[in-house]
Amino acid sequence: MGDAAGIGPEVVIRAVPHPDTLRRCRPLVIGDAARLRDAARVTGTAGTTEVVAVEGPEDAVFAPGRLNVVDLGLVPGDLPWGALSAAAGNAAYQYVRVAAELALAGEVQGICTAPLNKEALHAGGHPYPGHTEMLARLTGVEEVSMMLSTPTVKVIHVTTHLGLLDAVARIEPGLVERTVRRGHEAMVRAGTPRPVIGVCGINPHAGEGGLFGRGEEEEKIVPALEVLRADGIDARGPLPADTAFFLAARGDYDLIVAMYHDQGHGPVKVLGLEAGVNLTVGLPVIRTSVDHGTAFDIAGTGAADPGSMLEALRQAAEMASRPGR
């Protein structure tokens, strides 16, 4: 359900019982039933959606107008909308922890997350940079990648929640190679058997032959590309990031590899938050997420757009239903 003080409950109450969602899967919410009822009131859906607390997936009844929720009951009833709360931050962590346990046990086939607030998460005693790192730890995985998916562009990140100087220091050929391989495997599983992958450089104009930077492209990226191409993976670059996304939107590339957070997130968010979905690649479970934050400024007003949550649910359901999952 995400941070209970943000727009997570509102997008959940609108997207989970939506006919498009119910046609694709049997959705179960991990969260707080009382807060979801509050969200139903502020979104005007209380008359059409019944929030029902259940013990687990085995107790859920799937029917139009019913929202099943494993009710952890962790947030106070008078929790204000749009305000930082340690209780909400702790609850957001616990929702993900329970979802991960259910997924690892095979009781659910995928996880779709509403947004959490990192400051609230830390105040609640869980010092993770975000969902991606949290789920890696909860599922026992050493390294995962963040992929953003839109109808126009797909992008996977070599580094994510790091300051720019730390990100550049972290990038090295092994990490680039592993990231591209994870992206390639994800695209193949998604139905693109021979994806064309564009790999961004680090510096302006991808260094322009040493004119910009200190040779980072030749040192950190080119060796990885040589290994990948020798293995038959169509990875091209290093590309100037300022044109790579245009070329991808035109159809030249199936996937773009961004070196750091804003290099990939910026272009995707220009396309519209309602179209973007965040996927964690490399986990032993399916995980998708909305590509927007908690939006404290509009939380509790009923104005939140559920489009990204609907798309995240759609993609999670499609991945879970593919053979081999």
Side-chain angles (χ1 to χ4, degrees), residues 89-114:
N90 173 58
Y93 169 81
Q94 302 300 340
Y95 304 151
V96 177
R97 177 188 59 78
V98 171
E101 290 172 356
L102 290 172
L104 288 172
E107 295 186 56
V108 299
Q109 285 67 56
I111 300 170
C112 184
T113 57

Side-chain angles (χ1 to χ4, degrees), residues 62-86:
F62 300 97
R66 175 181 168 120
L67 187 147
N68 298 282
V69 53
V70 176
D71 182 16
L72 301 191
L74 294 173
V75 295
D78 59 353
L79 180 76
W81 294 102
L84 189 75
S85 163

Side-chain angles (χ1 to χ4, degrees), residues 47-225:
T48 57
T49 301
E50 180 187 13
V51 176
V52 181
V54 297
E55 290 296 319
E58 69 281 0
D59 298 316
V61 176
F62 300 97
R66 175 181 168 120
L67 187 147
N68 298 282
V69 53
V70 176
D71 182 16
L72 301 191
L74 294 173
V75 295
D78 59 353
L79 180 76
W81 294 102
L84 189 75
S85 163
N90 173 58
Y93 169 81
Q94 302 300 340
Y95 304 151
V96 177
R97 177 188 59 78
V98 171
E101 290 172 356
L102 290 172
L104 288 172
E107 295 186 56
V108 299
Q109 285 67 56
I111 300 170
C112 184
T113 57
L116 52 74
N117 181 283
K118 295 177 181 62
E119 190 176 351
L121 183 71
H122 295 179
H126 308 285
Y128 293 95
H131 274 118
T132 303
E133 297 82 2
M134 186 194 310
L135 280 161
R137 176 66 63 85
L138 289 168
T139 57
V141 174
E142 289 293 326
E143 188 176 276
V144 295
S145 297
M146 177 188 293
M147 179 183 285
L148 302 181
S149 174
T150 77
T152 308
V153 173
K154 291 178 173 58
V155 55
I156 191 168
H157 293 70
V158 175
T159 66
T160 50
H161 297 118
L162 291 172
L164 186 55
L165 295 179
D166 292 334
V168 174
R170 177 74 61 87
I171 297 166
E172 49 87 18
L175 179 58
V176 173
E177 180 190 341
R178 294 190 299 274
T179 303
V180 175
R181 288 188 188 277
R182 280 190 287 268
H184 180 269
E185 291 167 5
M187 293 300 294
V188 171
R189 288 199 307 270
T192 304
R194 290 178 294 278
V196 179
I197 302 172
V199 181
C200 291
I202 297 171
N203 295 296
H205 299 190
E208 199 157 311
L211 182 61
F212 303 116
R214 300 177 182 178
E216 288 87 354
E217 281 75 18
E218 290 296 324
E219 174 191 347
K220 296 171 176 285
I221 300 174
V222 170
L225 297 182

Side-chain angles (χ1 to χ4, degrees), residues 270-318:
V270 167
L271 296 172
L273 294 178
E274 72 282 353
V277 173
N278 184 330
L279 300 89
T280 305
V281 181
L283 292 173
V285 301
I286 291 167
R287 182 261 172 161
T288 67
S289 181
V290 296
D291 187 31
H292 59 71
T294 48
F296 278 175
D297 57 326
I298 62 168
T301 68
D305 187 334
S308 184
M309 176 59 78
L310 281 164
E311 180 62 16
L313 286 163
R314 181 190 70 78
Q315 292 200 31
E318 285 190 358

